[in-house]
Amino acid sequence: MKQSRWSEQCLQHVLQQMPLIQDRRSKEEIYSQVSSARKRERRKVWIISSMASIAAAFLFVIISLSNMPALQPKREHVIKKKNEAIAIIPLRAQDHSQESQAIIQADQRDVVQSRLVTKEELHDQDVVVFGIPDVNEQTVIPVSVFVAKGEQLSQQIENAQSQVMGEEWGLSDNLFDRIIISPSHNQKGLWVVRVPKAHSALSGGSASEVMFLSSIEETVRWMGGTSVQFFTENQKGIDLPNTGHVEWLKIPQKKRAYYFYQLDRSHPLFLAPSPKEFSTFQAALEHMKTASDDPFRPSIPKQVNIAMVQPQQGGVVVQFTSDSRLDESPAIQWMLEAILLTAKEFGFQFVTFTGGNVSRIGPYAFDEKIAVPVAPNPMPIK
C-alpha cells in the first residue's frame, strides 16, 4: 500500500502557514481533526483487510466440508432441523424493510399460533383478559389466560393473575401483583379494584400512572365492565403523585385498529390496539396498512389491497383485490385475525372475507361468515 508523503512535521509546518482569518478554529484544532481523519483511514483499511481474511477462512471451511462425504448427511440433518424451527423477525423501530411483514418463513405455516380466542374454544373453559403494558410503557396489550370453568369469577381472576408471565412474554411484569380486581355484587357493570398501599403504581412517574390506569381500563373493558371504583386497601380512592386522587374510572367504548407488536425474535407476537380511534371501519383498515409508529408495525402488508368494505346485517364483507398476494404465511393469517378484532371494535358480529383468488387461509374460509373473536392473544399457562 502506498504510504502518505506527509509526515507530522510537514503537517505542522503547513498548518502554521494557514491564516486564521479564513477559519475561526485554532491551528491545534485543525491539526487534531486532520490527525483523526488519518487514524480513521488506517482503521478502515484494517477492517477491510480483516474482513477479507475472515471471508477467505470461511470459504476454506466450506470447501473442506463439501469434500467430506461422511459429514454430508449430518449437514442435511442440521439444515432440516433449522427449517423446522420458528424464525420470527423482530419488529423494531429500525426495521422498515419491505419484508417486515414476513414474521415467520413461508415454510413454517403449519406452526402458526392463532392470536384469537374463539367461542368454540370456550366450551369447557373460560378466559380472563388482562391489559398489560409493553416494556417501554408506550401501549397496553390485552392478553388472554384460560381458566377452569365453573369457578367464581373473582377466583378465576385470581388464578389467572398467578399465570401472568410479563417478562417471558416481552411485556411489563408485576403490574397486577397484589391488586384485587373483582366485579361489584351490587351494581352491574361496576368493577372494584383494590390496591395495596406500597404498590409501585402509587409511587411511579406520570408515564407509569397513565399505563396503570390504561391497563385497568383495558382489563375491565374486555371483562364486560363499564366503570371502576378504586380503593387503597379499604379506603376509597387511590392517590397518584402526578394524577392526584382517583376514585372512579369510566370505561368508554372505543373503535380502534389492531397492529402487530413484538419485543424481539425471542418473544411472541401480539395483536395490539391502536391508541387512537377511527370514525369508520374502513379508515381503521387503511391505517393498519400504513402505521409505522413505535412500538407498532402494520398488520396489513403492502402487497395486500382491499377493494371494498361493505357492511351488512350484523356483519361486514371485506373484499381483497385480485392482485393481492394472499398465501398461507403467518403474516397473512395474523392479518385476518387483526381485521376480525378490528371489526369487533366497530360492533360487527361476523366478517366475510372474499376475493384475493384464494378459498381459505389457515382456519379461515373465504366467502363464509366468520364470527368475531371472544378475546385476543391467548397465552400458554405455566
Side-chain angles (χ1 to χ4, degrees):
M1 181 180 296
K2 185 176 181 181
Q3 295 185 351
S4 172
R5 295 181 293 106
W6 293 92
S7 65
E8 292 187 355
Q9 290 79 11
C10 290
L11 287 172
Q12 289 179 351
H13 176 74
V14 172
L15 293 174
Q16 288 173 356
Q17 305 304 315
M18 294 179 64
L20 289 176
I21 192 171
Q22 294 184 9
D23 196 315
R24 295 185 181 274
R25 298 174 296 175
S26 67
K27 295 187 291 291
E28 291 77 12
E29 289 174 335
I30 296 174
Y31 173 73
S32 175
Q33 291 192 7
V34 172
S35 299
S36 298
R38 296 181 69 217
K39 291 179 181 178
R40 287 196 299 271
E41 184 66 26
R42 288 196 295 270
R43 188 180 301 115
K44 183 187 299 183
V45 171
W46 181 85
I47 291 173
I48 293 174
S49 301
S50 300
M51 290 182 66
S53 300
I54 293 171
F58 184 67
L59 180 61
F60 175 78
V61 172
I62 292 175
I63 295 173
S64 300
L65 288 176
S66 64
N67 293 324
M68 298 175 66
L71 294 179
Q72 194 69 16
K74 189 173 182 179
R75 277 183 65 222
E76 293 176 355
H77 176 72
V78 171
I79 294 172
K80 182 179 179 181
K81 286 295 183 182
K82 182 178 180 182
N83 289 338
E84 288 175 355
I86 299 177
I88 303 179
I89 297 174
L91 302 176
R92 290 193 175 277
Q94 63 268 29
D95 182 13
H96 295 292
S97 67
Q98 197 172 23
E99 301 301 323
S100 64
Q101 300 301 326
I103 312 303
I104 293 181
Q105 295 176 0
D107 58 343
Q108 307 305 325
R109 62 195 62 173
D110 58 333
V111 295
V112 183
Q113 181 182 355
S114 174
R115 296 288 83 205
L116 303 181
V117 179
T118 63
K119 291 181 180 179
E120 291 74 18
E121 294 178 273
L122 297 182
H123 67 281
D124 59 351
Q125 55 190 344
D126 287 328
V127 67
V128 173
V129 181
F130 294 105
I132 305 179
D134 71 300
V135 292
N136 296 317
E137 297 187 332
Q138 294 177 283
T139 190
V140 173
I141 298 171
V143 175
S144 301
V145 178
F146 289 106
V147 293
K149 206 175 187 70
E151 295 179 340
Q152 292 288 332
L153 181 54
S154 57
Q155 184 62 48
Q156 289 179 327
I157 295 173
E158 183 179 343
N159 293 341
Q161 281 177 283
S162 66
Q163 303 295 332
V164 172
M165 300 178 287
E167 280 189 10
E168 294 184 31
W169 298 340
L171 304 175
S172 295
D173 201 22
N174 296 327
L175 175 70
F176 291 95
D177 183 36
R178 297 179 295 123
I179 290 180
I180 300 175
I181 305 175
S182 60
S184 171
H185 298 294
N186 303 319
Q187 184 176 338
K188 184 178 180 181
L190 173 64
W191 282 63
V192 176
V193 174
R194 297 184 184 275
V195 183
K197 289 183 179 180
H199 196 275
S200 59
L202 305 181
S203 58
S206 57
S208 297
E209 293 176 13
V210 170
M211 285 295 101
F212 170 73
L213 294 175
S214 298
S215 296
I216 296 297
E217 177 185 313
E218 189 72 14
T219 300
V220 174
R221 174 185 292 110
W222 277 101
M223 299 301 292
T226 57
S227 60
V228 175
Q229 185 176 15
F230 288 103
F231 288 85
T232 303
E233 295 183 354
N234 293 321
Q235 299 295 320
K236 286 185 177 181
I238 55 176
D239 292 311
L240 302 174
N242 296 278
T243 307
H245 188 75
V246 179
E247 289 191 12
W248 297 88
L249 178 66
K250 185 177 180 181
I251 309 300
Q253 294 293 324
K254 291 187 175 181
K255 297 179 178 180
R256 305 170 295 181
Y258 273 79
Y259 310 129
F260 290 160
Y261 168 85
Q262 185 182 24
L263 179 61
D264 56 40
R265 70 177 64 205
S266 64
H267 294 92
L269 176 138
F270 294 96
L271 299 180
S274 61
K276 65 179 294 186
E277 296 187 64
F278 297 90
S279 57
T280 65
F281 178 57
Q282 184 165 358
L285 294 181
E286 291 172 357
H287 204 266
M288 288 163 64
K289 188 172 181 177
T290 60
S292 59
D293 299 332
D294 290 333
F296 305 117
R297 288 294 170 269
S299 50
I300 299 180
K302 291 181 179 179
Q303 69 269 22
V304 176
N305 298 302
I306 297 176
M308 181 189 68
V309 175
Q310 182 64 52
Q312 55 183 222
Q313 190 70 28
V316 63
V317 176
V318 176
Q319 179 180 343
F320 298 101
T321 61
S322 58
D323 62 348
S324 293
R325 286 188 281 169
L326 301 180
D327 53 37
E328 290 282 346
S329 65
I332 297 299
Q333 178 174 319
W334 288 332
M335 174 197 73
L336 299 183
E337 295 177 347
I339 293 175
L340 287 168
L341 278 173
T342 303
K344 184 181 179 74
E345 293 272 327
F346 284 82
F348 296 116
Q349 299 176 7
F350 62 87
V351 177
T352 304
F353 296 114
T354 185
N357 296 320
V358 295
S359 59
R360 173 180 290 272
I361 295 176
Y364 304 108
F366 274 43
D367 300 311
E368 295 182 10
K369 293 181 180 180
I370 303 172
V372 297
V374 174
N377 300 316
M379 299 304 297
I381 60 175
K382 299 176 184 177

